[in-house]
Amino acid sequence: MKRVILIVVALVVLIAALVFFMLLPLGQKNQDTASSQMPVSSWQGTTVSVGDAGEQVSQAEDSQTQWESGSLQTIDSSIRSALESSNPLDKAYQEHLNAGESKSELDASFMGYWLDEIDNAFQLALGACDEQQSVLLQNAQDAWTIQNDEQQALYYNLLTKRIPDEQEREAVYHKYRLDYYRDRALTLYEYYCILKENVVEITYLFGE
């Protein structure tokens, strides 16, 4: 009986150690990101007019609050297109890239900017929600946060096995996170536009 108990305890300790080391790289990368990005307190902010979302709302109003696994199910192509073309982060990224700056360094910085935009977009959308919508949105964002933490850790550990060169691995990882955070931020800004049902001006955190 004692032998069985010892085996069980050993298995529990082993599983806990595996989980710890799986999540450790993500924590390290988050610290690296925080040190490489511009502090939020120095951002000036950028206000952008997205345009009239009223016509698109009628196409989405029946399902605008249907969320699954943290993702907005109704995607309005007109609003999304305006967000894609008007946001200040993509514009600044391209300008820095055209100026000859390192793509890897830009990806490392801008993934941090987009991560902060997620919270900004979430707060805007939450402020435009009714009581039922706010519960759905909060639950969806909580689910996305859990999914994000797990996915980033798993992806980084996968890269360590596939890409032995550290610099190359970091570059791929930063680009992956940039795209992942950018998509989530724009999705939340899009939901905010749908909720507002009129001409929307969005004030991004980012500003140069």
Side-chain angles (χ1 to χ4, degrees):
M1 184 63 181
K2 289 184 178 179
R3 184 177 180 182
V4 173
I5 294 175
L6 288 174
I7 292 174
V8 171
V9 171
L11 286 173
V12 171
V13 172
L14 179 61
I15 292 172
L18 287 173
V19 171
F20 173 78
F21 284 110
M22 178 180 292
L23 295 179
L24 181 59
L26 177 62
Q28 292 173 336
K29 299 310 134 187
N30 284 340
Q31 290 177 0
D32 293 342
T33 300
S35 63
S36 66
Q37 70 183 49
M38 185 188 303
V40 175
S41 59
S42 69
W43 294 8
Q44 300 172 358
T46 306
T47 300
V48 176
S49 177
V50 178
D52 191 351
E55 294 182 4
Q56 290 82 28
V57 172
S58 62
Q59 304 170 13
E61 60 187 1
D62 291 336
S63 55
Q64 67 181 16
T65 56
Q66 291 181 9
W67 297 75
E68 182 179 336
S69 299
S71 298
L72 177 61
Q73 296 303 292
T74 298
I75 299 296
D76 188 290
S77 59
S78 299
I79 298 175
R80 185 56 171 246
S81 179
L83 290 168
E84 296 271 0
S85 62
S86 66
N87 75 79
L89 290 91
D90 285 346
K91 180 181 178 181
Y93 180 95
Q94 191 60 48
E95 288 175 350
H96 285 288
L97 192 62
N98 293 342
E101 295 189 30
S102 164
K103 185 178 186 303
S104 179
E105 291 180 4
L106 285 174
D107 288 345
S109 294
F110 276 80
M111 72 177 184
Y113 299 150
W114 278 114
L115 181 59
D116 287 317
E117 293 296 340
I118 290 175
D119 184 63
N120 187 52
F122 173 75
Q123 294 300 329
L124 285 174
L126 194 64
C129 285
D130 61 27
E131 186 175 353
Q132 181 182 12
Q133 291 166 337
S134 66
V135 173
L136 291 170
L137 177 59
Q138 183 66 65
N139 290 341
Q141 191 62 12
D142 289 344
W144 182 88
T145 300
I146 294 172
Q147 179 184 2
N148 172 56
D149 291 343
E150 295 174 347
Q151 189 163 329
Q152 300 296 343
L154 289 172
Y155 186 73
Y156 187 80
N157 278 278
L158 177 63
L159 289 180
T160 59
K161 296 178 181 179
R162 291 189 174 182
I163 306 178
D165 182 78
E166 184 177 359
Q167 274 194 316
E168 183 182 354
R169 182 171 65 244
E170 293 295 299
V172 173
Y173 183 63
H174 291 161
K175 180 61 168 65
Y176 169 78
R177 291 181 69 185
L178 184 152
D179 291 340
Y180 194 74
Y181 295 153
R182 176 182 180 275
D183 179 73
R184 185 60 180 179
L186 291 179
T187 296
L188 289 166
Y189 279 130
E190 179 184 345
Y191 186 51
Y192 171 65
C193 292
I194 292 174
L195 290 169
K196 293 297 289 185
E197 302 184 19
N198 54 20
V199 177
V200 174
E201 284 191 342
I202 293 176
T203 300
Y204 292 81
L205 287 178
F206 182 82
E208 291 190 312

